[in-house]
Amino acid sequence: MKKTFRMENLECAHCAALMETGIRKIDGVSEASISFMTEKLIIDAEENRFDEIMTEVRNICKKIEPDCRIR
Amino acid sequence: MITTLSPKQQKTLIRIILAFAILVSVIILQQTNIVSETAILLVLYLVPYAVIGYDVLTRAGKNIFHGKIFDENFLMTIATIGAFALGEYPEAVAVMLFYQVGELFQSYAVSKSRKSIAALMDIRPDHANIESNGQLIEVDPGELKTGDVIIIKPGERVPVDGVVISGSSDLNTMSLTGESLPRPVDAGDEVISGCVNMSGLLRVRVQKPYGESTVARILDLVENAAAKKAKTENFITTFSRYYTPVVVGVAAALAVLPPILFGEPFVDWVGRALIFLVVSCPCALVISIPLSFYGGIGGASRNGILIKGGNYLEALAKTETVVFDKTGTLTTGSFRVNSIKPSGEMTEEQLIMYAALAESSSTHPLAASIRAAYGKEIDRSVVANVTETAGRGVSAEVSGRVVLAGNAKLLADGGVAIPPSAPAGTAIHVAVDKIYAGYLLFSDTAKPSAKKAVNDLKKLGVKHTAMLTGDAEAAAKLTAEELGIDSYRAGLLPQEKVSGLEDIMEKFGGSTAYVGDGINDAPVLSRADVGIAMGSLGSDAAIEAADVVLMDDDPAKVATAVRISKKTFWIVRENIVFALGVKFFVLAFAAAGFATMWEAVFADVGVAVIAILNAMRTLGFSEK
């Protein structure tokens, strides 16, 4: 399942790249891409574990940029 | 400016002003010897330091806890604490202050360019008017279903793709095609979402729901374009992953080795190492490069050119060979009489007259161009007994003489032999009273801007232009010569175009772009390094198969696309060279002991700001 999320307070492009690398490594994620300019996260992941995966995604992003929220 | 700052940015600005004021007061206290005790001075300097740097310090602490050490927060913390340890109190505070000013500027520049990009993409319709019980209600375009009837008032944006039922108006397609000339529409015409209705009221039947309409697909395409990253972008990401740890390693070596090996003073070398750390952040590159690519893609879309990703923009910028499809791409697909070749005693005027009269009632496209070439009033009263055979031609009596006008098969059926010298291309042969009278040769009309497109591409450094076509040799040769195209291959079946393109790619090398109409050309479009589909506004096949979509029929847009890509790529290279150049320069000076903290902060934040400002130039790219 492919979904797009809005990322608020994404301030550093380097962090976005780190988040992207981190999210891609999550089990069940087949593709992830963060656009720093549009503040969007596009993620393609296993449908039945999607919520679980998103919790992990949020944890990763929080670690890298504490102010960043995923909507 | 203050009103345009986000709350977070405003808070940073206040902290900067406050910290600056305290710093200046403390420096005055120190200079006037009112306070001279080192311990008290340290405490006093720690106040502005805490005001301006607390968030950096806490983030650095948290990140160490998370096992992520080599980030800029960490670097700034180490550098400033190091400066305190060396007794350089004002420098320590000032470095942190300067860093925050740079960060604020950077964040402002980023949000400003995000806004400009959003403005570029401002083709999203906000509502649609639907008629219900004689009253107009505003609904969200997403709620419309195929078959619904909507009303579009003057000044409103067309919300979904549809067909005009009644009313006529002019549509402004500027934001979709970059074309400033309004497009007139009447009942029966298709309207495309994203255009603006300029004058009349239109009743439109919805053909596609919002999600499948042109506007939604374009927005989706441009927003997702950033996901396909250019090689340069990936290079920078990889580069920064190694760059920071390497610089930190060198800094550590610099701090420790010379004092141990050569007995140099520790304080000097630790100071140099700290400067090294400040310079090491790769932010200038990491932000400005994606920003340049995105700006270039945004600027191109304003000109009616959709580029599906930074990788294609990069490939376009490096294009050395451009291969065109002929019909519909370089030529309009409408034929005109190119030469009149009478045979025997027939004159040119007689030949065209007989052909025009025989074809006077035919609806075939070639018949229309024969009548246009004849150019005189057609007296239908002298024409009788017309029989038209599909795929052959026309037989008619003109002033009592039997005229055959059509292809070789028609004449063969009528028992007329065609001389062996006759050409194989698109020709109409004419026989009068069973005697061969000659032939008319047709060629495709070149689009007005086709020649300019080929010329402009040459000027932009494209080394070779080529044309692939299914048309006959003669017609292909004519078009190629007229437009100044270097080479061509004619008589190709659709499946042969791929191998034709492969031959060209092998022969000329470099990045190869293929320009086609996107409907029959899908395999060729995907085989080329960059597939460009044109004149296919709203065509699913084109958007799927192509890497770059030109929203109108204009081949000159190919040159515009290459020009914008080259400019963007140039800015990207400028930023890489500038940022790395300044950094390495300052690093070398720091190692030699000539650079201070001030230069180091400039090499970090100042360079980032300049690189971002340079990258923002891509947003303004337009036609010229």
Side-chain angles (χ1 to χ4, degrees):
Chain A
M1 188 170 66
K2 206 169 179 178
K3 257 189 141 169
T4 306
F5 294 90
R6 201 182 134 69
M7 306 191 77
E8 280 172 11
N9 291 327
L10 186 61
E11 297 259 310
C12 127
H14 185 57
C15 311
L18 285 174
M19 289 178 195
E20 194 180 272
T21 322
I23 294 168
R24 281 190 185 149
K25 280 186 193 147
I26 302 175
D27 196 30
V29 174
S30 51
E31 180 55 37
S33 149
I34 292 178
S35 160
F36 175 69
M37 289 319 300
T38 47
E39 299 172 277
K40 276 197 175 125
L41 160 70
I42 301 163
I43 181 165
D44 190 4
E46 270 178 44
E47 191 158 358
N48 43 5
R49 295 208 304 122
F50 202 84
D51 290 340
E52 202 182 316
I53 289 169
M54 279 315 290
T55 319
E56 210 168 324
V57 167
R58 287 200 169 85
N59 281 339
I60 287 175
C61 294
K62 201 160 194 147
K63 253 185 219 169
I64 294 168
E65 205 167 6
D67 292 336
C68 184
R69 301 269 173 280
I70 299 175
R71 290 275 149 97
Chain B
M1 174 180 159
I2 296 195
T3 47
T4 60
L5 293 180
S6 75
K8 200 178 162 186
Q9 289 167 341
Q10 286 180 24
K11 201 176 142 198
T12 313
L13 183 64
I14 293 166
R15 280 170 50 204
I16 288 170
I17 296 169
L18 196 65
F20 181 73
I22 303 173
L23 177 64
V24 169
S25 330
V26 178
I27 290 176
I28 291 171
L29 288 179
Q30 188 184 12
Q31 293 297 323
T32 52
N33 282 324
I34 294 174
V35 183
S36 54
E37 195 89 19
T38 317
I40 299 173
L41 275 175
L42 176 60
V43 172
L44 286 177
Y45 276 114
L46 280 175
V47 175
Y49 181 70
V51 168
I52 198 65
Y54 75 88
D55 53 340
V56 174
L57 294 173
T58 48
R59 251 181 272 151
K62 272 188 197 159
N63 285 344
I64 292 170
F65 186 67
H66 291 313
K68 196 187 82 155
I69 45 170
F70 296 131
D71 76 336
E72 48 181 348
N73 296 308
F74 171 78
L75 297 175
M76 291 312 296
T77 305
I78 296 292
T80 49
I81 289 178
F84 270 116
L86 297 176
E88 298 174 343
Y89 305 153
E91 280 86 350
V93 182
V95 162
M96 191 61 99
L97 188 66
F98 201 170
Y99 169 77
Q100 292 282 28
V101 170
E103 286 289 297
L104 176 65
F105 201 102
Q106 194 171 294
S107 146
Y108 177 71
V110 165
S111 59
K112 196 169 157 60
S113 38
R114 274 175 179 161
K115 271 181 207 148
S116 338
I117 288 164
L120 283 185
M121 296 292 99
D122 189 22
I123 51 171
R124 195 186 301 277
D126 42 275
H127 69 272
N129 305 311
I130 203 160
E131 212 173 9
S132 165
N133 301 330
Q135 279 193 318
L136 278 187
I137 346 173
E138 280 189 10
V139 296
D140 186 83
E143 292 173 24
L144 297 174
K145 290 185 290 294
T146 310
D148 281 353
V149 174
I150 53 169
I151 309 283
I152 305 164
K153 292 188 252 180
E156 286 182 341
R157 206 173 278 283
V158 178
V160 291
D161 296 357
V163 170
V164 178
I165 307 173
S166 64
S168 64
S169 179
D170 291 310
L171 294 184
N172 180 349
T173 62
M174 184 85 178
S175 49
L176 291 181
T177 62
E179 172 66 62
S180 55
L181 207 66
R183 186 180 291 189
V185 284
D186 269 309
D189 288 346
E190 280 190 19
V191 290
I192 282 153
S193 50
C195 304
V196 176
N197 182 9
M198 292 170 73
S199 43
L201 194 76
L202 292 174
R203 283 167 64 86
V204 170
R205 175 170 291 119
V206 176
Q207 275 194 317
K208 284 177 189 165
Y210 177 72
E212 291 167 25
S213 279
T214 309
V215 69
R217 282 212 315 270
I218 291 173
L219 286 171
D220 191 51
L221 198 148
V222 177
E223 280 174 359
N224 289 329
K228 292 206 185 90
K229 286 177 183 147
K231 267 188 223 141
T232 318
E233 256 179 287
N234 288 329
F235 161 74
I236 290 301
T237 316
T238 317
F239 173 82
S240 65
R241 206 177 306 150
Y242 296 104
Y243 169 81
T244 310
V246 167
V247 174
V248 172
V250 174
L254 210 55
V256 176
L257 292 182
I260 291 177
L261 295 179
F262 310 111
E264 296 266 339
F266 248 112
V267 176
D268 275 14
W269 288 91
V270 169
R272 291 178 195 187
L274 292 178
I275 291 166
F276 236 73
L277 287 182
V278 175
V279 183
S280 78
C281 180
C283 283
L285 295 176
V286 172
I287 293 182
S288 73
I289 280 140
L291 176 60
S292 309
F293 278 113
Y294 203 83
I297 290 171
S301 72
R302 199 164 45 176
N303 285 293
I305 300 159
L306 301 182
I307 301 175
K308 276 196 188 170
N311 50 345
Y312 301 122
L313 193 138
E314 192 170 359
L316 264 181
K318 291 179 180 164
T319 299
E320 287 181 10
T321 308
V322 178
V323 183
F324 291 93
D325 170 44
K326 181 174 158 284
T327 311
T329 304
L330 288 172
T331 61
T332 55
S334 69
F335 288 83
R336 66 184 153 86
V337 176
N338 181 257
S339 57
I340 305 166
K341 301 277 181 194
S343 168
E345 305 200 334
M346 195 67 63
T347 63
E348 281 193 20
E349 286 84 53
Q350 282 172 317
L351 178 63
I352 188 84
M353 181 198 74
Y354 279 119
L357 287 169
E359 300 267 10
S360 60
S361 53
S362 171
T363 53
H364 194 275
L366 290 183
S369 42
I370 293 174
R371 292 196 294 268
Y374 178 54
K376 291 177 199 156
E377 199 73 29
I378 288 173
D379 180 9
R380 282 175 205 252
S381 62
V382 299
V383 186
N385 288 335
V386 181
T387 38
E388 187 164 354
T389 320
R392 294 267 200 282
V394 178
S395 128
E397 267 177 43
V398 178
S399 312
R401 306 180 80 176
V402 178
V403 177
L404 297 177
N407 57 16
K409 283 178 195 149
L410 181 88
L411 271 73
D413 290 351
V416 179
I418 291 175
S421 62
T426 314
I428 291 236
H429 298 275
V430 181
V432 179
D433 286 340
K434 301 221 167 188
I435 297 165
Y436 187 71
Y439 61 89
L440 305 171
L441 208 55
F442 295 84
S443 70
D444 217 347
T445 329
K447 287 186 186 173
S449 60
K451 200 175 165 65
K452 184 179 180 298
V454 175
N455 265 337
D456 284 0
L457 285 171
K458 289 266 168 68
K459 275 186 215 149
L460 287 165
V462 169
K463 293 198 184 106
H464 190 84
T465 51
M467 185 174 77
L468 297 177
T469 177
D471 280 6
E473 171 76 20
K477 186 164 188 267
L478 209 70
T479 308
E481 279 172 1
E482 186 187 339
L483 300 177
I485 285 173
D486 301 324
S487 73
Y488 66 91
R489 302 249 328 241
L492 298 172
L493 296 170
Q495 60 269 30
E496 289 171 341
K497 282 193 180 176
V498 175
S499 58
L501 178 74
E502 280 169 348
D503 288 348
I504 294 172
M505 287 168 85
E506 202 173 304
K507 202 164 162 195
F508 297 100
S511 177
T512 304
Y514 178 82
V515 191
D517 65 8
I519 295 151
N520 313 311
D521 290 344
V524 208
L525 284 172
S526 53
R527 180 65 189 84
D529 296 315
V530 190
I532 306 174
M534 66 151 53
S536 320
L537 186 64
S539 144
D540 291 313
I543 292 190
E544 278 303 313
D547 309 318
V548 177
V549 181
L550 305 181
M551 301 298 277
D552 56 14
D553 281 340
D554 188 357
K557 286 279 165 73
V558 178
T560 311
V562 172
R563 187 181 302 120
I564 290 177
S565 303
K566 276 191 186 289
K567 277 188 188 168
T568 306
F569 201 58
W570 176 251
I571 287 182
V572 165
R573 270 184 297 195
E574 253 173 26
N575 276 347
I576 293 177
V577 170
F578 168 70
L580 290 184
V582 172
K583 275 179 200 271
F584 281 123
F585 193 70
V586 176
L587 287 178
F589 264 53
F594 294 127
T596 65
M597 262 314 171
W598 301 104
E599 281 96 10
V601 174
F602 171 75
D604 177 25
V605 199
V607 167
V609 168
I610 293 170
I612 288 168
L613 290 178
N614 192 26
M616 280 169 81
R617 292 198 295 137
T618 54
L619 294 168
F621 286 164
S622 62
E623 198 79 43
K624 283 284 154 248

